[in-house]
């Protein structure tokens, strides 16, 4: 699928109607989601693969992964409202997207690929930690994730500890729309990186 078509389809999905600030329920912008998913497709980590989307929220990454041919996607979120929303957004792809309510820390199934847009730790320091722990523990092939650029050294350390190889760490364009009451401006640019960590044998 072409990039513009993927962005158009992802952009049509519904966002969080009342996002929870404590959980940093910020929807991944369609452009950034497409950039991650096409990177994963290009590295042979999506088509026919089993994919986990940790903190799936609206389900944008799950739906995109299924659109690009993932055999099965497991989307996990601890917020039941997010799971219901993701189910709605999954539409006709729902047969291939297994949506589960739960904490990512207790997810232990091995998958080929993890995709995730975890909380950036802006509200609660360390909120992203269980995501990286689980991702690096369950992904047989690779982890695709977004993170604030000030988390670079933390992620690099995690990667070394778990014997993962950093294939990519590239800044992506990310405009954060006004989402929570404490946001003052209509939109602010965030310094976000797209990461690709190779977890299996090289
Ligand atoms: N990728 C999604 C959501 C990003 S926001 C999208 O683009 O729409 C992060 C999501 O992680 C939120 O939906 C939040 O409910 C969920 N979350 C936060 N901490 C979690 C945890 N420990 N376990 C499971 N889900 C969690």
């Amino acid at each position: 699928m072409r990039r513009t078509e993927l962005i158009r389809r992802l952009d049509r999905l519904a966002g969080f109607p009342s996002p929870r600030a404590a959980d940093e329920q910020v929807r991944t912008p369609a452009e950034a989601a497409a950039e991650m998913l096409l990177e994963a497709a290009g590295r042979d980590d999506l088509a026919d693969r089993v994919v986990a989307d940790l903190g799936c929220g609206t389900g944008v990454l799950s739906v995109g992964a299924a659109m690009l041919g993932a055999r099965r996607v497991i989307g996990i979120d601890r917020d039941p409202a997010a799971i219901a929303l993701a189910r709605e957004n999954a539409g006709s792809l729902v047969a291939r997207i297994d949506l589960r309510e739960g904490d990512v820390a207790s997810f232990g199934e091995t998958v080929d690929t993890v995709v995730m847009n975890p909380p950036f730790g802006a509200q609660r320091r360390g909120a992203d930690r269980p995501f990286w722990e689980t991702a690096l523990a369950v992904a047989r092939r690779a982890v695709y994730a977004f993170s604030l650029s000030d988390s670079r050294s933390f992620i690099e350390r995690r990667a070394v500890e778990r014997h993962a190889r950093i294939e990519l760490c590239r800044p992506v364009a990310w405009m954060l729309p006004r989402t929570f009451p404490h946001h003052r401006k209509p939109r602010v640019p965030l310094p976000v990186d797209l990461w690709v960590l190779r977890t299996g044998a090289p």
Side-chain angles (χ1 to χ4, degrees):
M1 188 184 304
R2 289 166 55 98
R3 183 174 171 276
T4 46
E5 173 64 11
L6 181 60
I7 292 174
R8 204 174 56 78
R9 291 205 202 175
L10 297 180
D11 220 14
R12 275 208 305 252
L13 302 179
F16 294 104
S18 41
R20 294 205 315 216
D23 264 337
E24 288 189 53
Q25 289 186 323
V26 176
R27 168 193 195 162
T28 310
E31 291 79 4
E35 194 170 330
M36 171 189 281
L37 294 164
L38 292 173
E39 199 66 54
R43 289 165 199 259
D44 197 22
D45 290 322
L46 277 192
D48 275 334
R49 305 292 184 194
V50 177
V51 177
D53 176 6
L54 306 183
C56 64
T58 60
V60 60
L61 297 176
S62 296
V63 172
M67 280 176 181
L68 295 178
R71 177 148 47 93
R72 194 159 72 91
V73 184
I74 307 166
I76 301 119
D77 203 291
R78 67 178 174 195
D79 176 11
I83 292 295
L85 175 62
R87 184 160 294 122
E88 213 175 281
N89 277 332
S92 60
L93 293 168
V94 78
R96 274 189 289 138
I97 308 179
D98 175 2
L99 293 160
R100 303 182 192 170
E101 185 187 328
D103 198 296
V104 297
S106 51
F107 180 72
E109 262 170 68
T110 303
V111 296
D112 295 311
T113 305
V114 165
V115 295
M116 62 179 187
N117 174 22
F120 291 158
Q123 297 297 318
R124 199 164 51 79
R125 243 179 95 77
D128 55 342
R129 280 169 195 243
F131 283 77
W132 287 97
E133 294 293 344
T134 294
L136 288 166
V138 303
R140 226 183 328 244
R141 293 180 58 87
V143 174
Y144 291 77
F146 293 114
S147 170
L148 280 186
S149 56
D150 63 5
S151 305
R152 278 183 193 165
S153 57
F154 161 72
I155 296 166
E156 281 160 7
R157 277 199 309 275
R158 275 293 116 90
V160 170
E161 271 169 34
R162 306 298 306 221
H163 309 289
R165 189 159 47 84
I166 296 167
E167 275 189 0
L168 182 76
C169 169
R170 181 176 70 212
V172 291
W174 192 294
M175 290 301 288
L176 174 69
R178 190 172 190 283
T179 307
F180 303 124
H182 65 267
H183 290 165
R184 299 221 176 81
K185 299 191 179 143
R187 273 149 70 84
V188 280
L190 282 190
V192 174
D193 296 322
L194 167 62
W195 290 83
V196 180
L197 271 56
R198 185 60 51 193
T199 50

